[in-house]
Amino acid sequence: MKKSDVVQAIFRQPIPQDPKHEKGLAFAPTNIALVKYWGKRDVELNLPVTSSLSIALLDKGAMTTITLQDQAYDTVVLNNQAIPAHSEFAKRISQFLDLFRPEKKWHVHIDIKMNIPAAAGLASSACGFASLMSALNDLFNWQLTLRQLSILARLGSGSAARSFWTGFVEWHAGVQPDGMDSVAEPLAIEWPMLRVGLLTMSEKQKPISSREAMQRTVDSSILYSAWPKKVMQDLAILKQALHTKNFSLLGGTAESNALTMHATMLASWPAVCYFLPETIAAMHQIWALRQQGMELYFTQDAGPNLKLLFLETDTHHVKANFPTVEIVKVFE
Ligand code: 2P0
């Protein structure tokens, strides 16, 4: 099954190619997985081995503007910087656009503004592809549903499937080979006291992309066989924590899930290690604070930075212990 087959199955008719507005514009929030997506059962369609569950960061994400242009190529600007056409990033975007223009009749100028560090493990591809997909939908007035947008954005980047909603979002792994059931949906649970703290150790480009690291883990880590079981358990416990508003259970489950994911990576060969000395030092600081009774947990994605998880009542403690932390509300 190819990506273009999925696009065809969703549109069911020739894709409308006439823009309805001068510009397509959309914002998508980035999302932080509390139970992670790590490993694909279908590399072409970005179909995951397991389901995952994330929380959206309300006002952190990507704003994408698409304008048609009278050129035979696309241009991409990220945070006011032109991206070279031959770069991996620009090629990935153009190939994604090709799915929606079988005859290559149109080309676009894409302006992406992200208020998160790109490629430092802060899910920039998630909000990037989600906002790109929504902006295309806006430009051509395709009137796709959020479910359809989630499936289509997943073809660009797996975690983008979860970036169409705020709050808690579950991406169902699905079982169908065409991935029509591998779609995200929001959970009807709010937790206004919940806070996420972004603890940035490095904004440098990561040493290995999450896509490559994920594949290497699946291909070479002996620990990977335990991962689906761990995710299944953690998803059940996390949902229980959400329903009962048990913060220790939420924090502990998210932290343990992230550490297990990184353990599977460390057992890959060559080893995938996203920890910097500063990452480990911060972990020890968090564990020491927990020993003193503070309800503070962390999660970590494919980068050296940590995301702190805590409740509003601990905000001043967190700020006092981590002066550089950027605190983000996750509910209005
Ligand atoms: C997640 N990550 O659940 C996990 C945890 C990183 C660590 O999804 O190849 O950029 O585009 O499907 O979505 C990052 O991987 O990978 C990711 P592709 P993606 O958030």
Side-chain angles (χ1 to χ4, degrees):
M1 175 86 39
K2 293 209 300 276
K3 287 184 168 118
S4 51
D5 300 327
V6 175
V7 175
Q8 224 167 20
I10 287 197
F11 280 90
R12 290 215 199 106
Q13 54 179 10
I15 305 170
Q17 301 282 290
D18 295 319
K20 289 288 181 296
H21 316 286
E22 217 168 281
K23 277 182 182 176
L25 176 73
F27 174 80
T30 195
N31 70 74
I32 306 291
L34 301 176
V35 173
K36 312 285 189 192
Y37 149 53
W38 200 250
K40 304 178 194 199
R41 70 169 194 281
D42 184 315
V43 172
E44 164 76 12
L45 302 183
N46 291 330
L47 295 178
V49 170
T50 70
S51 298
S52 54
L53 202 158
S54 62
I55 179 83
L57 301 188
L58 263 190
D59 51 7
K60 292 264 162 207
M63 177 73 85
T64 296
T65 312
I66 309 186
T67 324
L68 286 176
Q69 65 178 3
D70 213 3
Q71 312 265 21
Y73 50 84
D74 305 308
T75 45
V76 184
V77 168
L78 173 61
N79 290 344
N80 301 320
Q81 271 209 311
I83 303 293
H86 59 267
S87 68
E88 277 311 306
F89 182 65
K91 277 197 268 180
R92 226 174 124 185
I93 289 183
S94 274
Q95 283 165 5
F96 183 72
L97 295 173
D98 288 347
L99 296 171
F100 303 94
R101 51 178 181 193
E103 292 167 33
K104 289 214 182 188
K105 268 197 199 144
W106 47 267
H107 289 87
V108 286
H109 176 72
I110 299 178
D111 184 81
I112 310 172
K113 294 226 160 53
M114 285 193 197
N115 57 0
I116 51 168
L122 268 167
S124 49
S125 71
C127 59
F129 276 98
S131 65
L132 177 60
M133 191 59 233
S134 291
L136 275 176
N137 186 46
D138 182 38
L139 178 66
F140 291 99
N141 196 27
W142 287 328
Q143 302 193 351
L144 297 164
T145 63
L146 289 176
R147 217 183 130 82
Q148 291 172 320
L149 291 172
S150 170
I151 290 174
L152 292 171
R154 188 223 323 125
L155 303 176
S157 182
S159 51
R162 301 186 305 238
S163 268
F164 291 91
W165 298 270
T166 52
F168 298 106
V169 175
E170 182 172 7
W171 171 17
H172 301 282
V175 292
Q176 289 175 213
D178 63 1
M180 287 304 171
D181 56 351
S182 184
V183 61
E185 71 172 345
L187 304 186
I189 296 171
E190 300 216 337
W191 202 331
M193 297 279 275
L194 193 65
R195 294 289 180 276
V196 172
L198 306 178
L199 203 55
T200 305
M201 258 66 83
S202 165
E203 293 200 12
K204 273 200 234 143
Q205 191 85 9
K206 45 194 170 192
I208 172 170
S209 74
S210 51
R211 180 162 290 190
E212 212 182 320
M214 203 183 281
Q215 203 48 44
R216 191 187 295 173
T217 309
V218 174
D219 292 343
S220 72
S221 172
I222 195 167
L223 299 186
Y224 190 73
S225 60
W227 176 247
K229 187 176 168 198
K230 169 72 176 161
V231 169
M232 227 157 54
Q233 287 171 352
D234 286 348
L235 273 175
I237 300 171
L238 181 62
K239 283 182 195 172
Q240 189 196 337
L242 295 180
H243 283 112
T244 56
K245 294 271 153 58
N246 182 337
F247 179 69
S248 317
L249 197 58
L250 175 147
T253 307
E255 187 174 303
S256 163
N257 186 268
L259 288 169
T260 306
M261 176 183 74
H262 284 277
T264 67
M265 292 186 215
L266 287 172
S268 307
W269 193 259
V272 175
C273 178
Y274 284 115
F275 301 147
L276 288 177
E278 295 88 332
T279 316
I280 305 273
M283 285 180 187
H284 283 281
Q285 200 181 343
I286 292 162
W287 291 326
L289 288 165
R290 268 224 304 281
Q291 283 231 312
Q292 294 163 26
M294 193 165 155
E295 281 295 299
L296 175 66
Y297 299 84
F298 68 84
T299 184
Q300 183 189 356
D301 292 296
N305 306 318
L306 297 186
K307 288 95 185 192
L308 306 180
L309 303 166
F310 56 97
L311 293 174
E312 195 241 328
T313 39
D314 275 320
T315 301
H316 67 281
H317 278 131
V318 171
K319 276 187 186 161
N321 285 286
F322 301 94
T324 60
V325 72
E326 184 178 357
I327 297 179
V328 186
K329 274 176 78 170
V330 285
F331 289 94
E332 287 292 353

